[in-house]
Amino acid sequence: MSHFQVRTDLALEAREKFEEDNVEIKGVRIEEEMAEEGEIKITNVVIETENGAKVMGKPKGTYITLEAPGMSEQDEDYHREISKQLAKILLKLMPDKKPPVSILVAGLGNREVTPDALGPRVVDNLMITRHIIQEFGKYAFGEEETNAISSIVPGVMAQTGMESMEIVRGVIEETKPDCVIAIDALAARSTKRLGRTIQITDTGINPGSGVGNHRHGLNQESLGIPVIAIGIPTVVDAATIVSDTMQTLIQAMSQSNYLSSLSNSLESLNDAEKYDLIRELLSPSLNTMFVTPKDIDEAIKRLSFTVSEGLNIAFGVA
Amino acid sequence: MSHFQVRTDLALEAREKFEEDNVEIKGVRIEEEMAEEGEIKITNVVIETENGAKVMGKPKGTYITLEAPGMSEQDEDYHREISKQLAKILLKLMPDKKPPVSILVAGLGNREVTPDALGPRVVDNLMITRHIIQEFGKYAFGEEETNAISSIVPGVMAQTGMESMEIVRGVIEETKPDCVIAIDALAARSTKRLGRTIQITDTGINPGSGVGNHRHGLNQESLGIPVIAIGIPTVVDAATIVSDTMQTLIQAMSQSNYLSSLSNSLESLNDAEKYDLIRELLSPSLNTMFVTPKDIDEAIKRLSFTVSEGLNIAFGVA
Amino acid sequence: MSHFQVRTDLALEAREKFEEDNVEIKGVRIEEEMAEEGEIKITNVVIETENGAKVMGKPKGTYITLEAPGMSEQDEDYHREISKQLAKILLKLMPDKKPPVSILVAGLGNREVTPDALGPRVVDNLMITRHIIQEFGKYAFGEEETNAISSIVPGVMAQTGMESMEIVRGVIEETKPDCVIAIDALAARSTKRLGRTIQITDTGINPGSGVGNHRHGLNQESLGIPVIAIGIPTVVDAATIVSDTMQTLIQAMSQSNYLSSLSNSLESLNDAEKYDLIRELLSPSLNTMFVTPKDIDEAIKRLSFTVSEGLNIAFGVA
Amino acid sequence: MSHFQVRTDLALEAREKFEEDNVEIKGVRIEEEMAEEGEIKITNVVIETENGAKVMGKPKGTYITLEAPGMSEQDEDYHREISKQLAKILLKLMPDKKPPVSILVAGLGNREVTPDALGPRVVDNLMITRHIIQEFGKYAFGEEETNAISSIVPGVMAQTGMESMEIVRGVIEETKPDCVIAIDALAARSTKRLGRTIQITDTGINPGSGVGNHRHGLNQESLGIPVIAIGIPTVVDAATIVSDTMQTLIQAMSQSNYLSSLSNSLESLNDAEKYDLIRELLSPSLNTMFVTPKDIDEAIKRLSFTVSEGLNIAFGVA
């Protein structure tokens, strides 16, 4: 049953599905390291071939995740150690261009729906410099040249009538930044990842990703310039919860004596039968629902600071 | 399996569980009527005895629900026909006191978590009069005496360190209103009810109800004056979704030929076994999660107008 | 002293300065009418020639103002009669193109500064249709073809690092609307006009106008398509208040016996001397300050509904 | 003319009026010191006698101001050095009671009017502990006993129909804190002080103070427990700007040769005449207006962090 397609925006989770089955994927390379005295786990997933991309269901490129269990908990300086690691990774993924660079930060998502407000809230706390450099020149902030940071919160279709991609592309045409950094709230497969993982990727935002399920990608192909995406999972699709329950049910049954025969029957179903079964179970209304923690407001408030600080450290005025 | 306790704040849904099993509950009276040319269904559930209260899991009193499928959809005047019905019901449930009355409206819930923001958002659009009457006298608005409307948004414990009940009780001691009207977002059992039902009750808000799961009630017992509660379901507990899936699974299996034997085995479990099974399935993290629609921001925006208009029609300046 | 340049975004006020002096301006035509049983005064100022434009300090074009003293006061349906007049004027100023048209509504200004939040708040309540028509075709809403309404809230430079004009121009390039309707909070000369006047003009937004003092215009010249601007004065420049005081002082002095000689001396100053005097008086810090009413939050809330309703009536789904 | 009563909530400014006239006030003691290598100026104004209180127009007590020119400017850690000084002063002014203490922080003012939103915004970033101690006991946070911090944002009368004082008093009756810390935006006399001064006083909030002009005090007399007030000037009354202009005019005239005779005439007016003159000048609508900087949104955002950090340092979990 583990191949049933549940949605995750995390390459890490996409990879894990295969790990469970002890499948090795050709064209996908993984490296792990620990940072900050074991507090932060950093995983590099590099999808190197088209085959890897197909199996993983994600475009070729580098996906780096920062995992720290306490990430969304209260902390005096909003987990500055995580912000620093984020800054390091961002600088590593940046296209090869000597600073100063000009960067458009796009805060994707819906400010009015708490778990989808990460992007807009990150932008609220960014150090914006482009207009000052436009007016006072590139030494406006001192002896060193300063990166030109601009930002846009495109909103969502129900508010604007337009795709985020259309708005961002228009702004790029007008203001010609060197690259885009897109921030978005993600859907995870497991509730345990919510608010505890940051994914940074050089593949941008791709169709179907994000809490709002972007219909068009925001990536180098659609925007014409490199796009780095920063995402944090804040919701699980309601349909995923249901699907997970199915699997837990089967496991639970196989561990209960009185249910083991029953479980065996279920396990003996072939994939088509399982798929039919799940289709019957999924209420269509669940497709428009998400699952999120009750204290998502506090998580979003804190995480948005952690991310904006990462950006400020990487590109801000020294 | 239908007696497994899933959470609902709607008396209507609590009643339905028994309907499914064709059980009649002594001490619970139900009446239905249609209004607005069949567009609005109004159901009165009156819990008349302690026995009824025990079986239903809700205090004695009157629970009136307004159901209208299009309630949260876009409408030029925010469904004024529903606001009017709400006003009528509110006036019917008001304690016997000749106007002018003085009413404290309490907008419960967390403004920062979209599906829990109903109460605070309703208060944003209320016509507030108490301070004007305090300053200019009871004929401040014309020849007729005006009801004195005041309002409080107590926030949630993580923000204030206090129970909503403590704050509201303190405000009552100071300002001596005749009654409280408490607005709160509710948890339903079924996703189909979200944003389509308004419940009005003279029993107030009771422990465990509301999206935020109030630990202490806001009712006549705790506040010392009558409390009318207006609630709209905006979330389903994540655990409820899981439990519902279980039942759908069993039904689905009994309708599939190749699964019928399996289903029979499950059906043959006794209640204790079923309960054990479900307990094993429920991930503890689900208890801190809720399920809500993706467009909850628009629903809350519109519903808050419908409710505040209902209050303005019932008690506002003519 | 009446020719001292104080800032006003209202053509009506620009005109009044000359009226006081009984000066007739060539190339500027004025018509007045009353609507809604004398409740609303509608004034058409048409600047017909370059000379008129130069004298008035505003581009050639039509400026229509709706004045109603109670406009920002509480009203059950947010002054629907004003919304209707606004809709009529908008349709009159629209470029000659048979409906359905596609319109981009730009909500200019800073959502975080209350008197500058009019534009963003109007957009919050608009009926947005473009994305639905894109998906379901032009008969998505019924038998009649529907106008395609989209919207953008570009924010302000300190937030985005970009000019509003750059963002709007980029969005136009991508989405090709037929025209732009730009909403902005304005600066008036007189505190008495705040929240009581709506100006609609086919000249767009021009440099130096709006509460935020746009540095670049949003008009047909800069955007390439017709731009209708809707503005409501919500602030007076602090420097204007000072300048007005000067004049009142002189008048007050000439009416006081014991001060008349003094006043005569002031009146006898020539214009250069007066200008020097005023320059000395104006504290430079006043240039970054504005004057606004203490209850501006309520005015903005109500006015934004009145304007969005006007747009919905003019262009929305019947 | 310097005795004309202009409004200031700062004891420092009230004192300065007399300094200008070289008047020494009996019963008012002043001490100044510099901190943080000259970056922060700390002034203690102690009103020791009823006579001092009468002359100053402020109650007896201690008023400490922190002045730092860059206070509202962008800073990586929101001016932590100022937060630390604020914490030191708060601990000095606290009533004599060994920790742990229980403190109710009241965020006064109107969240919807930017310059009045300081109080509510400070509360947004406080570390709230009371509910955790209520649930898990006084060692909930570790070996040391923790102060119980709760908070309330009472809103303004137009929103609640109640005085802030009524709400805070009710909450005190219910929750019995040891003292109140009230945060409020203030009116200054000089635009130069806006966003650059913090006043901390053990006299609480007194009638007529704050941007919203509280009608009833929040002080030990009205609330029954000690009240420390923290205020930052964010507005100047519009009438004050006018009055200041008057004085500048006279000074300007006396420095211009051609105007000196005129100035002499004005100076020769007696106080009653001057008062009449000013009364004639003041437009009544100015009394409901305030003057505030255009970038007040950024100032409020930053200052609210500086103040909440001060509170967190003084009373938070170590």
Side-chain angles (χ1 to χ4, degrees):
Chain A
M1 189 148 312
S2 51
H3 296 100
F4 173 68
Q5 200 65 18
V6 294
R7 183 173 162 222
T8 175
D9 294 324
L10 296 173
L12 193 69
E13 287 188 334
R15 181 67 189 76
E16 278 170 349
K17 288 189 294 182
F18 299 96
E19 249 160 55
E20 289 163 17
D21 302 342
N22 286 315
V23 174
E24 200 176 302
I25 314 172
K26 278 188 189 161
V28 178
R29 191 159 45 81
I30 291 202
E31 284 155 26
E32 290 178 5
E33 59 173 311
M34 299 304 287
E36 296 287 330
E37 300 173 357
E39 292 294 304
I40 305 175
K41 183 177 171 188
I42 301 177
T43 310
N44 270 26
V45 176
V46 186
I47 304 182
E48 296 174 315
T49 64
E50 283 305 331
N51 174 61
K54 200 175 149 196
V55 176
M56 292 281 284
K58 310 224 163 286
K60 275 199 299 182
T62 301
Y63 301 81
I64 304 178
T65 49
L66 287 172
E67 288 172 277
M71 190 181 285
S72 70
E73 278 161 32
Q74 190 158 311
D75 180 80
E76 198 186 281
D77 57 359
Y78 298 103
H79 296 285
R80 199 171 171 80
E81 74 286 0
I82 299 176
S83 304
K84 281 180 188 165
Q85 292 293 335
L86 172 57
K88 246 169 54 180
I89 294 168
L90 283 172
L91 290 171
K92 207 166 78 181
L93 291 185
M94 279 294 285
D96 280 332
K97 183 182 174 302
K98 263 181 48 187
V101 286
S102 102
I103 300 171
L104 174 64
V105 181
L108 305 179
N110 185 349
R111 190 189 283 280
E112 302 301 319
V113 173
T114 316
D116 200 16
L118 180 75
R121 297 284 291 264
V122 166
V123 162
D124 287 348
N125 292 299
L126 279 186
M127 217 177 288
I128 301 297
T129 56
R130 179 180 178 269
H131 60 303
I132 297 169
I133 294 166
Q134 295 271 101
E135 188 162 354
F136 300 105
K138 58 188 179 178
Y139 297 107
F141 293 92
E143 280 181 33
E144 274 180 68
E145 298 186 30
T146 309
N147 298 310
I149 310 296
S150 56
S151 78
I152 184 87
V153 174
V156 296
M157 278 219 297
Q159 293 159 358
T160 65
M162 300 180 284
E163 301 263 352
S164 297
M165 186 268 289
E166 293 177 295
I167 296 171
V168 175
R169 193 158 65 183
V171 167
I172 291 170
E173 282 169 43
E174 274 299 308
T175 64
K176 311 286 182 204
D178 297 320
C179 83
V180 167
I181 296 181
I183 325 287
D184 204 7
L186 303 179
R189 181 209 164 98
S190 156
T191 57
K192 281 163 205 144
R193 280 245 161 62
L194 300 185
R196 291 181 187 137
T197 302
I198 304 178
Q199 175 174 279
I200 308 104
T201 173
D202 59 6
T203 60
I205 304 279
N206 290 288
S209 62
V211 170
N213 276 334
H214 301 281
R215 294 202 302 190
H216 292 88
L218 283 91
N219 45 38
Q220 177 138 19
E221 200 187 332
S222 67
L223 297 181
I225 56 175
V227 181
I228 295 174
I230 303 174
I232 297 181
T234 62
V235 305
V236 173
D237 276 2
T240 301
I241 294 279
V242 169
S243 171
D244 277 357
T245 309
M246 288 288 300
Q247 301 195 38
T248 317
L249 171 64
I250 291 167
Q251 285 165 15
M253 288 193 294
S254 66
Q255 285 152 16
S256 312
N257 269 345
Y258 50 87
L259 283 173
S260 59
S261 67
L262 196 149
S263 169
N264 290 342
S265 325
L266 259 182
E267 285 287 1
S268 70
L269 296 179
N270 65 33
D271 275 3
E273 287 164 341
K274 280 176 186 164
Y275 187 76
D276 284 349
L277 180 58
I278 287 175
R279 283 292 295 270
E280 283 178 76
L281 286 174
L282 287 178
S283 158
S285 71
L286 281 187
N287 288 326
T288 60
M289 304 268 161
F290 60 75
V291 179
T292 199
K294 287 178 181 173
D295 60 353
I296 185 66
D297 57 327
E298 295 172 52
I300 291 289
K301 189 161 103 176
R302 289 172 194 147
L303 293 167
S304 65
F305 275 106
T306 302
V307 174
S308 61
E309 269 309 289
L311 287 160
N312 288 339
I313 292 169
F315 306 111
V317 179
Chain B
M1 186 148 311
S2 50
H3 296 100
F4 174 66
Q5 200 65 19
V6 292
R7 182 175 160 221
T8 175
D9 293 325
L10 295 174
L12 193 69
E13 287 188 334
R15 181 66 190 75
E16 279 170 350
K17 287 189 295 183
F18 299 96
E19 248 160 55
E20 289 164 14
D21 303 343
N22 286 315
V23 174
E24 200 176 303
I25 312 172
K26 277 186 191 164
V28 178
R29 191 159 45 81
I30 291 202
E31 284 154 26
E32 290 180 3
E33 59 172 311
M34 300 303 287
E36 296 287 329
E37 301 174 357
E39 292 294 302
I40 306 175
K41 183 177 170 187
I42 302 177
T43 309
N44 270 28
V45 175
V46 186
I47 304 182
E48 296 174 314
T49 64
E50 283 305 332
N51 175 61
K54 200 175 150 196
V55 176
M56 293 281 284
K58 310 223 164 288
K60 276 198 298 182
T62 300
Y63 302 81
I64 304 177
T65 49
L66 286 172
E67 288 173 275
M71 190 182 284
S72 70
E73 278 161 31
Q74 190 158 312
D75 179 80
E76 199 185 280
D77 57 359
Y78 298 104
H79 297 284
R80 200 171 170 80
E81 73 286 0
I82 299 175
S83 303
K84 281 180 189 167
Q85 292 293 334
L86 171 57
K88 247 170 50 180
I89 294 168
L90 283 172
L91 290 171
K92 207 165 79 182
L93 290 186
M94 280 293 286
D96 281 332
K97 185 183 172 302
K98 264 181 49 188
V101 286
S102 101
I103 300 171
L104 174 64
V105 181
L108 306 179
N110 186 348
R111 191 189 284 280
E112 302 302 318
V113 173
T114 315
D116 200 17
L118 179 76
R121 297 284 291 264
V122 166
V123 161
D124 286 349
N125 292 298
L126 278 187
M127 215 177 289
I128 300 297
T129 56
R130 179 180 177 270
H131 59 304
I132 298 169
I133 293 167
Q134 295 272 101
E135 189 162 354
F136 300 104
K138 58 188 177 179
Y139 296 107
F141 291 93
E143 281 181 31
E144 274 179 68
E145 298 186 29
T146 309
N147 298 309
I149 310 297
S150 56
S151 78
I152 185 87
V153 173
V156 296
M157 278 218 298
Q159 293 158 357
T160 65
M162 301 180 283
E163 301 263 352
S164 296
M165 187 268 289
E166 293 177 294
I167 296 171
V168 174
R169 193 157 68 183
V171 168
I172 290 171
E173 281 170 43
E174 274 300 306
T175 63
K176 311 286 183 204
D178 296 320
C179 83
V180 167
I181 296 181
I183 324 287
D184 204 7
L186 303 179
R189 182 210 162 98
S190 158
T191 57
K192 282 161 205 148
R193 279 248 160 61
L194 300 184
R196 290 178 189 141
T197 301
I198 305 178
Q199 174 174 279
I200 308 105
T201 173
D202 58 6
T203 60
I205 304 280
N206 291 288
S209 62
V211 170
N213 275 334
H214 301 281
R215 293 202 301 188
H216 292 87
L218 284 91
N219 47 36
Q220 177 139 18
E221 200 186 331
S222 66
L223 297 182
I225 55 174
V227 181
I228 295 174
I230 303 174
I232 297 181
T234 63
V235 305
V236 173
D237 277 2
T240 300
I241 295 279
V242 169
S243 170
D244 278 355
T245 309
M246 288 290 299
Q247 301 194 37
T248 316
L249 171 63
I250 292 168
Q251 285 166 16
M253 289 193 294
S254 66
Q255 284 152 17
S256 310
N257 269 344
Y258 50 86
L259 284 172
S260 59
S261 66
L262 196 149
S263 169
N264 290 341
S265 325
L266 256 183
E267 285 287 359
S268 69
L269 296 179
N270 64 34
D271 276 2
E273 288 165 342
K274 280 177 185 162
Y275 187 77
D276 285 350
L277 179 58
I278 288 175
R279 284 292 296 270
E280 282 178 76
L281 286 174
L282 288 177
S283 157
S285 71
L286 280 187
N287 288 325
T288 60
M289 304 269 161
F290 60 75
V291 180
T292 199
K294 287 177 181 172
D295 60 352
I296 185 66
D297 57 327
E298 297 172 50
I300 290 289
K301 189 162 102 177
R302 290 173 193 145
L303 292 167
S304 66
F305 276 105
T306 302
V307 174
S308 61
E309 269 309 289
L311 286 160
N312 288 339
I313 292 170
F315 306 111
V317 179
Chain C
M1 187 147 311
S2 52
H3 295 100
F4 174 67
Q5 200 65 19
V6 293
R7 181 173 163 223
T8 175
D9 294 325
L10 296 174
L12 194 68
E13 287 189 335
R15 182 65 190 74
E16 278 170 350
K17 287 190 294 182
F18 299 97
E19 248 161 55
E20 289 164 15
D21 302 343
N22 287 315
V23 173
E24 202 177 299
I25 313 172
K26 277 186 192 164
V28 178
R29 191 159 45 81
I30 291 202
E31 283 154 28
E32 291 179 4
E33 58 172 313
M34 300 302 287
E36 296 288 328
E37 301 174 356
E39 293 294 303
I40 306 174
K41 182 177 170 187
I42 302 177
T43 309
N44 269 29
V45 176
V46 186
I47 304 183
E48 296 175 314
T49 64
E50 283 306 332
N51 175 60
K54 199 175 152 195
V55 176
M56 293 280 284
K58 311 224 163 287
K60 276 199 297 182
T62 301
Y63 301 80
I64 304 179
T65 49
L66 285 172
E67 289 173 274
M71 190 182 283
S72 71
E73 279 161 31
Q74 190 158 311
D75 180 81
E76 199 186 278
D77 58 359
Y78 298 103
H79 297 284
R80 200 171 171 80
E81 75 285 0
I82 298 176
S83 303
K84 281 181 189 166
Q85 293 293 335
L86 172 58
K88 249 176 38 187
I89 294 169
L90 282 171
L91 290 171
K92 207 166 80 181
L93 290 186
M94 280 294 286
D96 281 332
K97 184 181 173 305
K98 263 182 49 188
V101 287
S102 100
I103 300 171
L104 174 63
V105 181
L108 307 178
N110 185 349
R111 192 189 282 281
E112 302 302 318
V113 174
T114 315
D116 200 17
L118 179 76
R121 296 284 291 264
V122 166
V123 162
D124 287 348
N125 292 298
L126 277 186
M127 215 177 291
I128 300 298
T129 56
R130 179 180 178 270
H131 60 303
I132 297 169
I133 293 167
Q134 296 270 102
E135 189 162 354
F136 300 104
K138 58 188 177 179
Y139 297 107
F141 292 92
E143 281 181 33
E144 275 179 68
E145 298 187 29
T146 309
N147 299 310
I149 310 296
S150 56
S151 79
I152 185 87
V153 173
V156 296
M157 278 218 299
Q159 293 159 357
T160 65
M162 300 180 283
E163 301 262 352
S164 296
M165 188 268 291
E166 292 176 296
I167 296 171
V168 175
R169 193 157 67 183
V171 168
I172 290 171
E173 281 170 44
E174 274 300 307
T175 63
K176 310 288 182 204
D178 297 319
C179 83
V180 167
I181 296 182
I183 325 287
D184 204 6
L186 303 180
R189 182 209 163 97
S190 156
T191 57
K192 281 162 206 147
R193 279 247 161 61
L194 299 184
R196 291 181 187 137
T197 302
I198 304 178
Q199 174 173 279
I200 309 105
T201 172
D202 59 6
T203 60
I205 304 281
N206 290 289
S209 62
V211 170
N213 276 335
H214 302 281
R215 294 202 301 189
H216 292 87
L218 284 91
N219 46 37
Q220 178 139 18
E221 199 186 333
S222 66
L223 298 181
I225 56 175
V227 182
I228 296 174
I230 303 175
I232 297 181
T234 63
V235 305
V236 172
D237 277 1
T240 300
I241 294 279
V242 169
S243 170
D244 277 355
T245 309
M246 288 289 300
Q247 301 196 39
T248 316
L249 171 64
I250 292 167
Q251 283 166 18
M253 289 193 293
S254 66
Q255 283 153 15
S256 310
N257 269 346
Y258 50 85
L259 283 173
S260 59
S261 65
L262 196 150
S263 168
N264 290 341
S265 326
L266 259 181
E267 284 289 359
S268 69
L269 296 179
N270 64 33
D271 276 2
E273 286 164 342
K274 280 177 186 164
Y275 187 76
D276 284 349
L277 180 57
I278 288 175
R279 284 292 295 271
E280 282 178 77
L281 285 174
L282 288 177
S283 157
S285 71
L286 280 187
N287 289 325
T288 61
M289 303 269 162
F290 61 75
V291 180
T292 199
K294 287 177 181 172
D295 60 353
I296 186 66
D297 57 328
E298 297 172 50
I300 290 289
K301 190 161 101 177
R302 289 174 194 145
L303 292 167
S304 66
F305 275 106
T306 303
V307 174
S308 62
E309 269 310 288
L311 286 159
N312 288 340
I313 292 170
F315 306 111
V317 179
Chain D
M1 188 148 310
S2 52
H3 296 100
F4 174 67
Q5 199 64 19
V6 293
R7 181 172 162 224
T8 175
D9 293 324
L10 296 173
L12 194 68
E13 287 189 334
R15 181 65 190 75
E16 279 170 348
K17 289 190 294 183
F18 299 97
E19 248 161 54
E20 289 163 17
D21 302 342
N22 285 316
V23 174
E24 199 177 302
I25 313 173
K26 278 187 189 162
V28 178
R29 189 159 47 81
I30 290 202
E31 285 154 26
E32 290 179 3
E33 59 173 310
M34 300 303 287
E36 296 288 329
E37 300 173 358
E39 292 294 303
I40 305 174
K41 182 176 170 189
I42 302 176
T43 310
N44 268 28
V45 175
V46 186
I47 304 183
E48 296 175 313
T49 64
E50 283 306 330
N51 175 61
K54 201 174 150 195
V55 176
M56 292 281 284
K58 311 224 163 287
K60 276 199 298 183
T62 301
Y63 301 81
I64 304 178
T65 50
L66 287 172
E67 289 173 277
M71 190 182 283
S72 71
E73 277 160 33
Q74 190 159 309
D75 180 80
E76 199 185 279
D77 58 359
Y78 299 103
H79 297 285
R80 200 170 171 81
E81 74 286 0
I82 299 176
S83 303
K84 282 180 188 165
Q85 292 293 334
L86 172 58
K88 249 180 32 192
I89 294 169
L90 282 172
L91 290 171
K92 207 166 78 181
L93 290 186
M94 279 293 285
D96 280 333
K97 183 181 175 303
K98 263 181 50 186
V101 286
S102 102
I103 300 171
L104 173 65
V105 181
L108 306 179
N110 186 348
R111 190 188 283 280
E112 302 301 318
V113 173
T114 315
D116 200 17
L118 179 76
R121 296 286 290 266
V122 165
V123 162
D124 286 348
N125 292 299
L126 278 186
M127 215 177 288
I128 300 297
T129 56
R130 179 179 178 270
H131 59 303
I132 297 169
I133 294 167
Q134 296 271 100
E135 189 162 353
F136 300 104
K138 57 189 180 179
Y139 297 107
F141 292 92
E143 280 180 33
E144 274 178 70
E145 298 186 29
T146 310
N147 298 309
I149 310 296
S150 56
S151 78
I152 185 87
V153 174
V156 295
M157 278 219 297
Q159 292 159 357
T160 66
M162 301 179 284
E163 302 262 353
S164 296
M165 186 267 290
E166 293 177 296
I167 296 171
V168 175
R169 193 158 66 183
V171 167
I172 291 172
E173 283 169 42
E174 274 299 307
T175 64
K176 311 286 181 205
D178 296 320
C179 83
V180 167
I181 296 181
I183 324 288
D184 204 5
L186 303 180
R189 182 207 163 97
S190 156
T191 57
K192 281 162 206 145
R193 280 246 161 62
L194 300 184
R196 291 181 187 137
T197 302
I198 305 178
Q199 174 174 278
I200 308 103
T201 172
D202 58 7
T203 60
I205 305 280
N206 290 290
S209 62
V211 170
N213 275 334
H214 301 282
R215 293 203 300 190
H216 293 87
L218 283 92
N219 47 36
Q220 178 139 17
E221 199 187 333
S222 66
L223 297 181
I225 56 175
V227 182
I228 295 174
I230 303 174
I232 297 180
T234 62
V235 305
V236 173
D237 276 2
T240 300
I241 295 279
V242 169
S243 171
D244 278 356
T245 309
M246 288 289 301
Q247 302 194 39
T248 316
L249 171 64
I250 292 167
Q251 285 166 16
M253 289 193 292
S254 66
Q255 285 154 15
S256 311
N257 268 345
Y258 49 86
L259 282 174
S260 59
S261 67
L262 197 149
S263 169
N264 291 342
S265 325
L266 257 182
E267 286 287 0
S268 70
L269 295 180
N270 64 33
D271 275 3
E273 286 164 342
K274 279 175 185 164
Y275 187 76
D276 284 349
L277 180 58
I278 287 175
R279 285 291 296 270
E280 282 178 77
L281 285 174
L282 287 176
S283 158
S285 71
L286 281 186
N287 289 326
T288 61
M289 304 268 160
F290 61 74
V291 180
T292 199
K294 286 177 181 172
D295 61 352
I296 185 66
D297 56 327
E298 296 172 51
I300 290 290
K301 190 161 102 176
R302 289 173 194 146
L303 293 168
S304 65
F305 275 106
T306 303
V307 174
S308 61
E309 270 309 289
L311 286 160
N312 289 339
I313 293 170
F315 307 110
V317 179

